[in-house]
């Protein structure tokens, strides 16, 4: 009896151990499955899908490039895009050489092939009947390196197809309505298909790239969107630019006019109209404005094609937006592209900034095998916001400053600055090579930008003081320097002086990857 009693106790103990082990094993397996599965809620039903590491909201330039980049690194990526049809936009059509170099780094350079993209080698500036040509400093690069201009939609579709060709990347059409948060951590998204069905998707990291009109950015940042002007877009057909394979900027009144090729037979024209309202297209006011105010200011070689395009009536408009990056670090989520940071599109720097950010983010994520520690990942990725600043802020600041300098003004000092800028760039050599290196993204250094900007201002003052420094000229020169400071310093302050010029002094600059 004693042996049976002892054996019974031992059997109970062993049963308890086995029960506990089995329960723990089942819970662990269930937790692992839950963490790695994409869960969909459909009319109240929950079903499991394919495991996902990263959800990307939006498949524009930033989203599609990011999906391919992360997918190529072995991440399981799920992309939700509102409309997978080919986009039809009037911006995002000029990729600077610096952006093309980033495209090469990402392995996406073939996306400008087979879309009739045009090589761009620099800019031509026009003012009051004068013109000057500014060439990109490409001597030290491979012969294939240059700017590229194209139809934006064709470029995006090429990148989408390349991303979707990876077995671990899926592209779905749907409108993301909200981020799913639990205790301050983003766990995934809720989205709706075109037929109205609602789904939920989970992943340890959600990256929002849903463009300039993002409805999610306020959950992840403190945005201050400014609308300085609007673009009026036309396509000129079967004509030639005064300088082949160059972007053309006309310093017109009241603000710049742009021309650049987007195919072998088409030239994009963008007319900048200051403010948030443009003449009505529907009642003919816009056509009248373009014919009477704009047409007399464009190069004679383009006049007939311009009038023909206006008469054809395919006139498009778009608001230009500027928004400094104002991140609000949130565990489980990140902003990217125009949803995160915008600048005036005058200089065509938006895609360069986005692609540069993607290269940086890819390199930061590469050492990480486990993305599930949201707090540690969020703290680590704060370094992204600091490391991106020198490049992004240089391009952003240049875009904002050049737009203001290139726009006409009733202020005599501002007009002198505008004239000085044109003449300074016309000097050639280092005077044109430095600024065009900044604009092209080939040398995006903040200090170089500030030095050239104030060199233009000082050059303008010197022109005023020669041959005789009258009191009126001295006063105008002083206001020119003051006006230049009033243009650039507010932009720099919005970008962040410390992050822009002294990023190594920011603690986040040194963040090491969290231990898996």
């Amino acid at each position: 009896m004693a042996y049976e009693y002892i054996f019974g106790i031992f059997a109970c103990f062993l049963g308890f151990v086995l029960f506990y082990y089995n329960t723990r094993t089942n819970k662990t397996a269930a937790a692992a499955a839950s963490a790695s599965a994409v869960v969909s809620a459909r009319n109240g039903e929950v079903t499991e899908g394919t495991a996902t590491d990263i959800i990307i909201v939006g498949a524009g330039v930033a989203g599609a490039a990011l999906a391919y980049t992360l997918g190529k690194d072995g991440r399981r990526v799920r992309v939700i895009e509102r409309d997978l049809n080919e986009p039809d936009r009037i911006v995002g059509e000029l990729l600077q050489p610096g952006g093309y170099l980033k495209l090469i780094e990402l392995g996406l350079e073939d996306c400008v092939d087979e879309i009739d993209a045009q090589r761009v080698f620099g800019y031509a500036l026009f003012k009051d009947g004068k013109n000057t040509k500014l060439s990109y400093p490409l001597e030290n690069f491979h012969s294939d390196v240059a700017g590229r201009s194209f139809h934006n939609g064709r470029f995006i579709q090429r990148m989408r197809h390349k991303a979707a060709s990876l077995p671990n990347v899926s592209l779905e059409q749907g409108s993301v309505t909200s981020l799913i948060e639990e205790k301050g951590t983003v766990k995934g998204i809720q989205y709706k298909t075109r037929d109205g069905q609602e789904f939920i998707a989970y992943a340890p990291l959600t990256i929002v790239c849903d463009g300039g009109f993002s409805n999610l950015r306020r959950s992840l940042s403190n945005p201050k969107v400014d609308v300085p002007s609007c673009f009026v877009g036309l396509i000129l057909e079967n004509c030639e630019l005064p300088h082949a394979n160059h972007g053309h900027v006309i310093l017109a009144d009241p603000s710049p006019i742009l021309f650049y090729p987007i195919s072998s037979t088409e030239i994009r024209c963008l007319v900048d109209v200051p403010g948030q309202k443009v003449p009505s297209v529907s009642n003919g006011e816009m056509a009248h404005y373009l014919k009477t105010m704009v047409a007399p200011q464009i190069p004679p070689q383009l006049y007939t094609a311009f009038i023909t395009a206006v008469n054809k009536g395919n006139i498009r408009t778009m608001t230009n937006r500027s928004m400094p990056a104002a991140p609000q670090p949130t565990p489980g989520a990140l902003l990217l592209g125009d949803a995160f940071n915008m600048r005036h599109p005058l200089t065509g720097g938006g895609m360069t900034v986005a692609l540069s950010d993607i290269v940086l983010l890819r390199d930061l994520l590469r050492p990480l095998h486990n993305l599930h520690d949201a707090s540690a990942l969020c703290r680590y990725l704060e370094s992204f916001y600091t490391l991106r600043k020198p490049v992004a802020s240089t391009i952003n600041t240049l875009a904002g400053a050049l737009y203001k300098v290139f726009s006409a003004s009733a202020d005599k000092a501002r007009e002198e600055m505008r004239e000085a800028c044109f003449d300074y760039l016309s000097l050639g050599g280092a005077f044109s090579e430095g600024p065009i290196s900044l604009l092209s993204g080939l040398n995006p250094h903040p200090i170089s930008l500030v030095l050239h900007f104030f060199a233009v201002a000082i050059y303008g003052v010197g022109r005023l003081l020669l041959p005789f420094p009258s009191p009126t000229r001295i006063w105008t020169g002083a206001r020119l320097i003051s006006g230049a400071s009033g243009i650039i310093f507010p932009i720099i302050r919005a970008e962040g002086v410390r992050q822009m010029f002294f990023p190594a002094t920011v603690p986040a600059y040194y963040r090491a990857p969290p231990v898996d």
Side-chain angles (χ1 to χ4, degrees), residues 116 118 149 151 154 235-239 241 260-268:
D116 200 14
Q118 303 299 298
S149 53
H151 281 269
R154 296 175 187 173
I235 291 181
L236 281 57
E237 297 178 319
N238 301 312
C239 63
L241 289 165
Y260 51 88
I262 56 172
S263 76
S264 54
T265 61
E266 298 165 301
I267 293 171
R268 167 66 71 196

Side-chain angles (χ1 to χ4, degrees), residues 55-105:
I55 293 171
I56 297 175
V57 181
V61 170
L66 182 65
Y68 175 76
T69 301
L70 297 179
K72 193 172 64 169
D73 276 0
R75 306 287 185 184
R76 295 162 298 185
V77 181
R78 187 176 187 181
V79 186
I80 311 296
E81 161 60 33
R82 183 182 58 82
D83 187 352
L84 287 173
N85 293 312
E86 184 175 306
D88 183 14
R89 303 181 64 210
I90 64 172
V91 292
E93 298 172 317
L94 178 60
L95 180 66
Q96 297 289 359
Y100 183 71
L101 287 173
K102 297 300 178 183
L103 211 63
I104 292 173
E105 279 193 65

Side-chain angles (χ1 to χ4, degrees), residues 94 96 123 343-354 395-396 399 439:
L94 178 60
Q96 297 289 359
Y123 279 84
R343 75 291 308 148
H344 195 285
L346 172 70
T347 59
M351 290 189 288
T352 300
V353 172
I395 294 173
N396 295 344
L439 184 147

Side-chain angles (χ1 to χ4, degrees), residues 355-367:
L355 294 171
S356 177
D357 283 352
I358 290 169
V359 169
L360 175 59
L361 183 60
R362 175 202 65 184
D363 293 344
L364 288 173
L365 290 176
R366 267 183 173 169

Side-chain angles (χ1 to χ4, degrees), residues 313-348:
N314 187 20
I315 302 171
R316 307 271 302 279
T317 62
M318 188 205 75
T319 55
N320 294 325
R321 297 183 161 214
S322 175
M323 184 185 73
Q328 185 176 301
T330 305
L334 194 74
L335 273 173
L336 208 66
D338 282 352
F340 175 49
N341 183 203
M342 293 182 284
R343 75 291 308 148
H344 195 285
L346 172 70
T347 59

